Amino acid sequence: MGNTTLREIQDELRSLLEGRAGIVDGIVAPIVFVLANAIAGMPAAADAGVAVAVTVVLVRLARRNDLRFAVSGLFGTGLAIALALRSGDAQDYFLPGIISGVATTVIAVVSIAVRRPMVAYMSWVARQWPLDWYWHPTVRPAYARVTWLWAGFFAVRTGVQIWLFLTDQTTALGFVRAATGWPGTIALLIATFVVGRNRLLELGGPSVDQFESKVPRAEWQPQPSGF
């Protein structure tokens, strides 16, 4: 992997992770919840989970950061805790994440089947490149390959969580959720960039600018940066 690619990965991750309160919530909240539940029971775990989510929002307010991620984390934590309190079973805290993982896996596979890979839409939202460029025959296969990578990641992660859920291993479920949350997602994003960029180079273009300018095929060059 060249120095240019490494620098680009660093820039991509810095741009993605800057101000993401969900990183803290995604790693700390599950661990705090299961530890508090093991030590002091469900009410204490619920209080601790809410305290983590509210603290994230307050910190973001103090720093004048974008609150969208903190508020979404607060909503997700509140929903998870409400399910756990309603059933009286700490494991139900992890149900929203499990359901989300199953849905993401299904969406990824279906998107490949209909030749509109999920990761292409994610890139389009982030980069605002022309959507038609992603469906070009020398571009789409790169996004299809990476979408398979995402489908595999979410299938394995969710499968492990379902097994732990069904076997009543709540503490292990919390730590697996934390380890495969943002840390796992960061590893997935790095793999996405490396695999996707290499596949684009193999396919041979056109770049976004060449696609928009309708440059002749003989002059095509792969997209020089980004994915």
Side-chain angles (χ1 to χ4, degrees):
M1 192 184 300
N3 290 334
T4 301
T5 302
L6 286 173
R7 284 197 298 271
E8 194 168 358
I9 290 174
Q10 290 172 351
D11 291 341
E12 292 288 326
L13 290 176
R14 188 179 299 113
S15 174
L16 174 75
L17 302 179
E18 186 175 8
R20 264 33 174 199
I23 297 174
V24 176
D25 187 63
I27 295 173
V28 176
I31 294 177
V32 168
F33 181 84
V34 296
L35 290 178
N37 180 67
I39 295 170
M42 176 70 74
D47 292 341
V50 171
V52 169
V54 171
T55 299
V56 168
V57 173
L58 293 177
V59 169
R60 295 304 166 187
L61 276 172
R63 294 181 178 179
R64 298 182 179 179
N65 295 141
D66 192 332
L67 290 181
R68 288 175 298 170
F69 301 100
V71 171
S72 65
L74 179 61
F75 175 79
T77 299
L79 175 61
I81 289 173
L83 289 173
L85 287 173
R86 185 174 182 273
S87 68
D89 189 341
Q91 288 191 134
D92 286 354
Y93 173 89
F94 300 98
L95 269 178
I98 291 173
I99 294 170
S100 174
V102 171
T104 301
T105 303
V106 171
I107 290 170
V109 173
V110 171
S111 74
I112 296 169
V114 300
R115 302 172 69 82
R116 292 295 183 266
M118 179 184 73
V119 175
Y121 284 108
M122 296 168 64
S123 175
W124 173 65
V125 169
R127 299 185 181 280
Q128 296 299 298
W129 290 340
L131 187 58
D132 286 346
W133 176 80
Y134 292 95
W135 314 143
H136 194 279
T138 61
V139 174
R140 188 186 64 246
Y143 287 90
R145 176 175 292 185
V146 169
T147 301
W148 276 120
L149 187 67
W150 280 64
F153 172 82
F154 280 98
V156 171
R157 184 175 80 169
T158 307
V160 170
Q161 291 185 42
I162 290 173
W163 175 69
L164 292 172
F165 182 88
L166 294 176
T167 54
D168 296 326
Q169 300 185 61
T170 306
T171 301
L173 183 55
F175 281 97
V176 167
R177 167 77 171 272
T180 59
W182 272 104
T185 301
I186 291 171
L188 175 63
L189 291 172
I190 293 173
T192 294
F193 191 86
V194 173
V195 172
R197 290 288 305 147
N198 286 341
R199 184 62 176 139
L200 280 180
L201 292 174
E202 292 173 2
L203 291 166
S207 68
V208 172
D209 290 341
Q210 290 172 335
F211 176 81
E212 292 185 301
S213 302
K214 296 181 169 51
V215 171
R217 185 184 184 95
E219 300 176 20
W220 285 357
Q221 296 291 331
Q223 175 62 22
S225 62
F227 182 71

